Amino acid sequence: MPSHNQICIYGRKDMQPVAAGASMEKVTNDIFNVGVNDYDADFFEGQFDLESGMAYNSYLILDDKTAVMDSVGEELQDAWLSNINEVLQGAAPDYLIVQHMEPDHSANIDIFMERYPEAVLITSAKAASMISQFFGTDYSDRSIIVGDGSELTLGKHILHFMTAPMVHWPEVIVTYDETDRVLFSADGFGKFGTTDADEEWTDEAARYYFGIVGKYGANVQALLKKVSSLDIRTICSLHGPVLTGDLSSYINLYDTWSSYRPEIEGVLIAYCSVYGHTEAAAVELSERLHEHGCDDVVLADLTMCDMSEVISYAFRYDRLVLASTTYNGDVFPAMREFLAGLAERGFKSRRIGLLENGSWAPTAARCMQKRLEGCKELAYADTIVKITSALDEASIAQIEALAAELAR
Ligand code: FEO
């Protein structure tokens, strides 16, 4: 009996209280992460399940002039200000560089500018107008607008700014410190989990990428091209750990994900089953795929799994099987949510198998295909498995035919 990988999240580990300064770390001799780990966070954006909390990074560069890059969420304000104060030992920073205006990074702009009245904002033009929208405050006499090609010299550190529209909002800039060869990548290369989460990077970075930025692959490609000539030794994202060492694996994964190429040779079987018969068919298909030499087959019960995790698997694997019971002349609600999540993120260029169940009028296969009709370059298997209540000889033969097709 082959083993099956089953992706489901059944619980989360105990969280610890946020401690001021808990996440502060030295990145280089002059650069500190003054952000905050939120160990209590259960969800990101109120929708993405967090097993290991969330990091909201903010960086401080110490030089003749001092720059703080981005802030953190409003609820983490005290810890962030305390971290800044600890590094500066009471001195005032000169600049607040605003790379991204989503409130998980911008909520404390007003309090920062009030606390440090000599500080100057460094922002894109779009971010400047969003600051007015969010805060109703006019900082035009305390702002420097930057874009592609702009530089800021802090002393020995020279910062170069580049626009990164839609990675993940339109106003985003990223920053390259040529002195320490650090790329401050805004949301790019982010990951769910605190900076000290004891887990490898890829799975949670993929779930973050496809959940948050996945719709904007072309924009990520443009950014990768823009930074490709830089000598980057460290990547400082606004979420997750600081990346150092051999950066090629991270950059290659971002290139793969943002170009919608599959990362993994394998089959994801995403299914919805009300009374177990469609699930039995999904398991049968998994076994047949194993028999045909497919080693990596993942079963995902859409009613039980974390949706963002299954969506990331769909983008990472090269083949997808959709299996659903027919429900109200359509598909089961969790399948609707899954397909909408794929379609809105521009799912494309994959091989797809369909399996439907219905006791009197099975229509799920047609409905699933229709929900993906805006997706490009999907190659559907010729065999569509039709179950009319429970597996029987005919449907098992169709499952065998589908397994053979998908294994080729
Ligand atoms: Fe982490 Fe798009 O904000």
Side-chain angles (χ1 to χ4, degrees):
M1 181 85 170
S3 63
H4 305 288
N5 297 322
Q6 183 89 22
I7 49 169
C8 284
I9 293 174
Y10 293 111
R12 38 182 98 91
K13 58 186 169 184
D14 292 334
M15 298 295 179
Q16 301 156 24
V18 175
S23 72
M24 197 158 64
E25 70 179 288
K26 199 166 184 179
V27 178
T28 69
N29 277 339
D30 306 322
I31 299 175
F32 297 79
N33 182 357
V34 291
V36 183
N37 281 325
D38 186 349
Y39 295 94
D40 290 330
D42 290 330
F43 295 100
F44 182 72
E45 288 187 354
Q47 60 170 332
F48 296 102
D49 210 337
L50 297 174
E51 281 217 310
S52 310
M54 193 70 192
Y56 298 92
N57 299 328
S58 163
Y59 299 94
L60 189 155
I61 306 174
L62 272 180
D63 206 333
D64 298 341
K65 298 282 188 183
T66 301
V68 176
M69 323 261 314
D70 298 292
S71 77
V72 295
E74 188 175 15
E75 67 283 6
L76 306 172
Q77 176 189 104
D78 290 347
W80 176 65
L81 291 171
S82 168
N83 286 348
I84 292 171
N85 201 46
E86 188 177 328
V87 175
L88 293 181
Q89 299 183 344
D94 298 285
Y95 300 109
L96 177 61
I97 299 171
V98 177
Q99 297 190 114
H100 184 15
M101 275 304 295
E102 195 165 10
D104 53 330
H105 311 294
S106 70
N108 303 298
I109 290 174
D110 243 14
I111 191 82
F112 181 97
M113 296 301 276
E114 191 182 320
R115 177 176 283 217
Y116 302 113
E118 302 300 319
V120 170
L121 285 172
I122 310 289
T123 72
S124 67
K126 282 195 177 73
S129 77
M130 284 187 186
I131 289 170
S132 299
Q133 290 167 213
F134 273 108
F135 299 103
T137 317
D138 180 7
Y139 289 115
S140 52
D141 60 341
R142 295 176 63 191
S143 297
I144 297 173
I145 303 299
V146 296
D148 286 307
S150 301
E151 290 181 16
L152 178 70
T153 301
L154 300 175
K156 71 176 183 176
H157 289 268
I158 300 172
L159 306 181
H160 300 262
F161 301 104
M162 286 153 278
T163 59
M166 302 319 296
V167 188
H168 121 253
W169 278 18
E171 85 297 355
V172 170
I173 54 171
V174 300
T175 307
Y176 177 65
D177 174 4
E178 71 168 52
T179 310
D180 285 354
R181 300 171 192 177
V182 175
L183 178 68
F184 297 94
S185 58
D187 274 345
F189 298 94
K191 173 186 162 296
F192 294 126
T194 55
T195 52
D196 53 359
D198 184 17
E199 58 195 9
E200 62 92 40
W201 185 82
T202 306
D203 284 349
E204 284 297 86
R207 191 165 72 88
Y208 174 86
Y209 173 82
F210 289 110
I212 308 294
V213 196
K215 178 179 173 64
Y216 306 111
N219 303 83
V220 175
Q221 281 282 303
L223 177 60
L224 290 176
K225 197 169 171 193
K226 208 176 263 191
V227 302
S228 62
S229 61
L230 301 174
D231 179 8
I232 301 168
R233 304 293 172 90
T234 304
I235 296 176
C236 288
S237 172
L238 291 175
H239 298 292
V242 169
L243 303 178
T244 55
D246 180 5
L247 299 175
S248 62
S249 61
Y250 306 110
I251 292 168
N252 289 342
L253 279 172
Y254 252 60
D255 182 38
T256 300
W257 296 341
S258 60
S259 59
Y260 301 91
R261 293 196 308 271
E263 172 199 341
I264 298 166
E265 270 189 30
V267 184
L268 168 66
I269 304 173
Y271 68 90
C272 291
S273 185
V274 186
Y275 296 108
H277 298 99
T278 308
E279 181 174 58
V283 171
E284 179 72 24
L285 177 61
S286 174
E287 290 171 5
R288 301 284 172 142
L289 284 164
H290 278 285
E291 286 167 13
H292 282 277
C294 297
D295 294 329
D296 196 343
V297 180
V298 173
L299 283 160
D301 179 349
L302 295 176
T303 63
M304 296 291 289
C305 290
D306 175 76
M307 192 57 74
S308 64
E309 186 177 21
V310 196
I311 286 172
S312 75
Y313 271 69
F315 279 94
R316 295 173 73 190
Y317 277 61
D318 67 345
R319 284 154 285 173
L320 170 65
V321 174
L322 301 168
S324 180
T325 184
T326 302
Y327 195 80
N328 287 337
D330 200 333
V331 294
F332 203 65
M335 179 61 80
R336 282 207 293 271
E337 184 186 351
F338 176 60
L339 295 174
L342 296 184
E344 75 185 36
R345 289 169 175 79
F347 187 68
K348 66 176 186 178
S349 307
R350 295 293 186 276
R351 293 170 64 198
I352 312 273
L354 297 171
L355 185 156
E356 66 180 1
N357 196 352
S359 295
W360 63 94
T363 55
R366 177 166 48 82
C367 293
M368 291 188 287
Q369 196 162 0
K370 188 167 174 49
R371 285 178 180 279
L372 292 179
E373 67 188 3
C375 299
K376 295 175 185 160
E377 298 161 21
L378 298 184
Y380 287 91
D382 292 334
T383 307
I384 295 177
V385 178
K386 185 188 295 284
I387 299 161
T388 50
S389 300
L391 282 173
D392 59 11
E393 207 172 303
S395 53
I396 287 174
Q398 290 171 348
I399 286 173
E400 169 60 24
L402 178 59
E405 266 195 73
L406 291 174
R408 283 203 291 269

